[in-house]
């Protein structure tokens, strides 16, 4: 019989309908192919046997040969547990079952040699092993043992239904028997040769039944590489297709607006990183494919001016441009900042937010449609149906993670052709993750801060040091500086957070009384105009302290503010902390960030605080964040699906990912349609894979 890997798993000898149902529902295994791709979580040494007197109190998994000498039942709070005394010639330990006791009692016999396997606990002066894997020594000896026996992913239900690791291993053996261990190759000779990869068949065999540690690691490398290679291939192909199919507006020339600004009004020298990124954007805009670019740059790295100069390229070619920001405060700030430059260059610019008056709105709508308005800045209000551009050539989206994918694509449908899109984010996504998640976008990185910035001094202080902190604040205010005090605002506990904020505000008001001190407060429950009023007062230096919830997190720019105090800092995520800290250190003065917490801190909180104190590099912080939270929680990756990797680990295997990307690129560069005979297997694998795993729709 010829074996097809698409054969339903029910047909495999030893599986049958019941087990097949469980494998489907618990592990998503429907076919032979799915089973073969069930990769072990880890490996254990089953050639090694411990004596009871060799056991260590380290909770390790061990294998012991011995006999059960007696059973007893022990009553406990709920129900009872079954305890067996287990002896070898060196000592005594206990086996414990909390479930399935009847079956255990009936099937296990005293006085017979057994091999047990499991984790040991040290309990009441004895070692015990809860729910051991247990097997008669005579049975055990019939099986092949290896120093690296695979341990497969499992679920509670599977083990309760008797589908133990041993059973899965047997089924896997059967699969290799039936298929004779031969599997179609999926990578080209060139790639295999260059990377000295095992063949597909050898890799699969050794990942399930390793012949040696060396072969196991080569097998893992090959399979991880393959997995990442095909994901990258999909992403890069998507990007290529996008470029060839989706035409965009071409900004043919660099004209007067850009050149005049560059010559006469540039307020500072651009950093090399800013220049490089502008070149990358220029190249995109000059081509006839639609730009779809992500601009990553740490807080304060100067993304705004890059965005503005990109807009000038649009205006030079007769197009309109827009800049969308996630909050009213930010939009206003962008507007005010750009207005100054626009006035010098005689460019018409407007601001549109939720609080724009109807009469003003009407004028904006009109001027947009007749083309006299050149730049529109605003919030989500830009996405309303009534907002119609005459010829939107470039849409810039600031702080991208605040917008959903749907919202972004809405901007596209305002034109006959989609505008060029530049997404700016200050939440650096680690390169590795960006490659996987945004591999189909082009990425530019500003990895350099403007010269002359003093690093922000960051410290961690406990709540009982508050008086010292107050004294420090007074000293700084006496020097003419301004201070942010930020409280967490987390939706689930909004009421409590609000109370904390108000309590904090009161105690600060007592400590810093008028008329010597002026305090602003901004929080989510305030009306937009009141928030603006307070922000404005602070920005103009009329108040000394800004007490706020995280509404000031993104983008706000008050260069004279040099101290950031973050209350309950343990409750913030790393990227949020980093964002908040980025609000200071924008002027010439030494800036400080003080992280306030209670004494009780989880390990993760400690790591977050230590990372903040140690590092000011957004990319390094993002890497730590990724390690702490796992990729699934990082903004924008949830829906991507690319992270449901079978064998590779996006964090640990970033070197393999880079190689996979490199090779995927080389293959497509040589042969964009995968038409060469030597790429036939890649094309086939790719087609088959796309059928099962469509990652084409997850971004813009
Ligand atoms: P972000 O990348 O966080 O949006 P901004 O664009 O708001 O950063 O820039 C932060 C501050 O740095 C602004 O005050 C801006 O004018 C200033 N800035 C930007 N680029 C430079 C530069 N090359 N040299 C000096 N200052 C700069
Ligand atoms: Mg910004």
């Amino acid at each position: 019989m010829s074996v097809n890997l698409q054969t339903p798993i029910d047909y495999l000898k030893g599986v049958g309908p019941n087990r097949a149902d469980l494998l489907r529902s618990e592990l998503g295994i429907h076919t032979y192919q799915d089973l073969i791709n069930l990769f072990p979580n880890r490996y254990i040494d089953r050639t090694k046997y411990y004596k009871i007197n060799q056991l260590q109190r380290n909770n390790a998994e061990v294998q012991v040969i011995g006999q059960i000498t007696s059973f007893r039942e022990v009553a406990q709070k709920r129900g009872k547990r079954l305890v067996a005394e287990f002896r070898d010639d060196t000592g005594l330990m206990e086996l414990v079952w909390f479930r399935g006791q009847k079956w255990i009692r009936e099937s296990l016999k005293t006085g017979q040699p057994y091999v047990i396997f499991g984790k040991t606990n040290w309990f009441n002066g004895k070692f015990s092993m809860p729910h051991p894997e247990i097997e008669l020594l005579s049975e055990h000896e019939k099986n092949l043992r290896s120093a690296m026996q695979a341990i497969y992913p499992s679920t509670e239900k599977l083990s309760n239904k008797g589908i133990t690791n041993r059973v899965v291993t047997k089924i896997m053996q059967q699969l290799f028997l039936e298929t004779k261990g031969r599997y179609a190759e999926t990578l080209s000779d060139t790639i295999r040769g260059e990377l000295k990869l095992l063949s597909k068949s050898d890799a699969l065999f050794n990942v399930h039944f390793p012949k040696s540690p060396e072969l196991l690691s080569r097998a893992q490398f090959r399979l991880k590489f393959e997995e990442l290679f095909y994901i990258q291939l999909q992403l890069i192909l998507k990007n290529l297709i996008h470029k060839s199919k989706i035409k965009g507006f071409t900004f043919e020339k660099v004209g007067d607006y850009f050149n005049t600004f560059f010559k006469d009004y540039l307020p500072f020298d651009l950093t090399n990183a800013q220049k490089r990124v502008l070149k990358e954007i220029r190249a995109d805009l000059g081509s006839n494919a639609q730009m779809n670019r992500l601009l990553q740059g740490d807080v304060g790295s100067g993304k705004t001016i890059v965005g503005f100069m990109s807009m000038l390229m649009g205006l030079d070619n007769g197009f309109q441009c827009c800049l969308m920001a996630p909050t009213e405060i930010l939009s206003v700030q962008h507007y005010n900042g750009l207005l100054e430059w626009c006035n010098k260059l005689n460019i018409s610019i407007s601001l549109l937010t939720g609080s724009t008056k109807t009469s003003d709105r009407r004028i904006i709508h009109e001027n947009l449609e007749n083309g006299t308005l050149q730049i529109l800045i605003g919030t989500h209000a830009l996405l309303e149906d009534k907002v119609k551009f005459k010829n939107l050539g470039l849409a810039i989206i600031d702080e991208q993670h605040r917008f959903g994918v749907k919202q972004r694509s809405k901007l596209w449908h305002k034109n006959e052709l989609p505008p060029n899109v530049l997404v700016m984010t200050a939440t650096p996504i680690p390169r590795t993750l960006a490659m996987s998640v945004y591999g189909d976008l082009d990425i530019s990185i500003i990895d350099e801060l403007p010269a002359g910035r003093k690093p922000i001094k960051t410290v961690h202080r406990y709540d009982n040091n508050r008086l010292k902190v107050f004294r420090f604040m007074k000293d700084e205010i006496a020097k003419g500086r301004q201070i942010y005090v930020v409280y967490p605002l987390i939706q689930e506990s909004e009421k409590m957070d609000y109370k904390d904020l108000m309590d904090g505000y009161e105690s600060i008001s007592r400590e810093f009384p008028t008329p010597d001190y002026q305090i602003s407060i901004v929080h989510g429950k305030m009306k937009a105009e009141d928030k603006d009023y307070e922000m404005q007062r602070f920005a103009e230096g009329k108040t000394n302290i800004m007490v706020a919830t995280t509404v000031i997190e993104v983008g706000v720019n008050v260069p004279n503010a040099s101290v950031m105090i973050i209350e309950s800092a343990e409750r913030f995520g790393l990227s949020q902390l980093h964002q908040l800290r980025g609000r200071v250190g924008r002027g010439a003065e030494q800036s400080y960030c003080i992280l306030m917490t209670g004494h009780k801190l989880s390990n993760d909180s400690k790591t977050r605080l230590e990372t903040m104190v140690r590092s000011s590099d957004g990319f390094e912080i993002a890497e730590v964040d990724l390690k702490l939270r796992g990729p699934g929680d990082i903004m924008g990756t949830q829906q991507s699906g690319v992270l449901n990797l079978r064998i590779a680990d996006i964090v640990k295997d970033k070197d393999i990912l880079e190689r996979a990307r490199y090779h995927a690129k080389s293959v497509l560069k040589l042969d964009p349609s995968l038409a060469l005979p030597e790429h036939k297997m890649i094309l086939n694998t790719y087609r088959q894979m796309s059928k099962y795993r469509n990652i084409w729709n997850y971004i813009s």
Side-chain angles (χ1 to χ4, degrees), residues 303-304 330 334 398-399 424 555 586:
K303 295 183 291 295
T304 314
L330 254 184
H334 274 316
D398 196 17
E399 311 298 350
M424 306 198 294
R586 301 186 152 235

Side-chain angles (χ1 to χ4, degrees), residues 47-223:
T47 59
K48 184 159 176 53
Y49 300 90
Y50 285 80
K51 294 288 185 187
I52 291 173
N53 70 355
Q54 294 173 325
L55 297 181
Q56 309 262 327
R57 290 188 216 172
N58 58 3
N59 205 243
E61 277 174 320
V62 294
Q63 185 164 247
V64 184
I65 302 171
Q67 300 188 358
I68 294 174
T69 48
S70 68
F71 284 101
R72 67 177 196 279
E73 282 179 351
V74 181
Q76 52 185 39
K77 260 189 216 137
R78 234 172 268 151
K80 55 193 179 204
R81 62 178 187 270
L82 178 66
V83 179
E85 225 177 57
F86 188 79
R87 285 176 186 276
D88 68 5
D89 49 6
T90 69
L92 161 92
M93 65 184 288
E94 288 183 344
L95 313 181
V96 186
W97 292 269
F98 301 93
R99 300 178 305 271
Q101 297 157 351
K102 184 158 175 282
W103 184 80
I104 301 283
R105 191 68 194 78
E106 282 163 9
S107 54
L108 298 183
K109 298 193 173 57
T110 55
Q112 301 255 22
Y114 282 109
V115 180
I116 59 164
F117 174 80
K119 277 190 178 169
T120 52
N121 296 325
W122 178 253
F123 182 67
N124 273 349
K126 275 193 225 86
F127 282 103
S128 68
M129 188 183 287
H131 289 260
E133 257 186 49
I134 184 161
E135 183 175 39
L136 278 171
L137 181 59
S138 52
E139 284 295 315
H140 180 82
E141 280 168 345
K142 283 187 204 154
N143 290 324
L144 277 177
R145 294 290 143 193
S146 133
M148 286 152 295
Q149 187 176 324
I151 301 291
Y152 290 97
S154 184
T155 65
E156 194 170 333
K157 192 159 173 198
L158 282 179
S159 34
N160 284 347
K161 299 271 179 180
I163 305 192
T164 58
N165 196 61
R166 192 151 45 109
V167 171
V168 176
T169 307
K170 275 207 174 129
I171 296 174
M172 197 67 81
Q173 277 168 352
Q174 184 60 33
L175 179 72
F176 275 81
L177 269 177
E178 284 191 23
T179 54
K180 301 200 177 62
R182 279 208 285 277
Y183 306 102
E185 185 49 62
T186 48
L187 292 172
S188 67
D189 291 349
T190 317
I191 292 179
R192 277 178 50 207
E194 270 178 45
L195 291 166
K196 300 200 172 53
L197 299 179
L198 290 183
S199 71
K200 176 88 175 193
S201 298
D202 286 349
L204 284 173
F205 183 84
N206 278 287
V207 86
H208 292 292
F209 308 104
K211 283 184 186 156
S212 71
E214 197 236 331
L215 280 169
L216 171 60
S217 70
R218 289 185 62 194
Q220 287 171 319
F221 184 89
R222 139 102 215 196
L223 295 168

Side-chain angles (χ1 to χ4, degrees), residues 268-271 274 298-304 450 453 557 586:
F268 32 66
D269 290 336
L270 296 177
T271 62
Q274 285 170 320
D298 214 341
V299 273
S301 62
K303 295 183 291 295
T304 314
R453 293 267 169 85
N557 193 13
R586 301 186 152 235

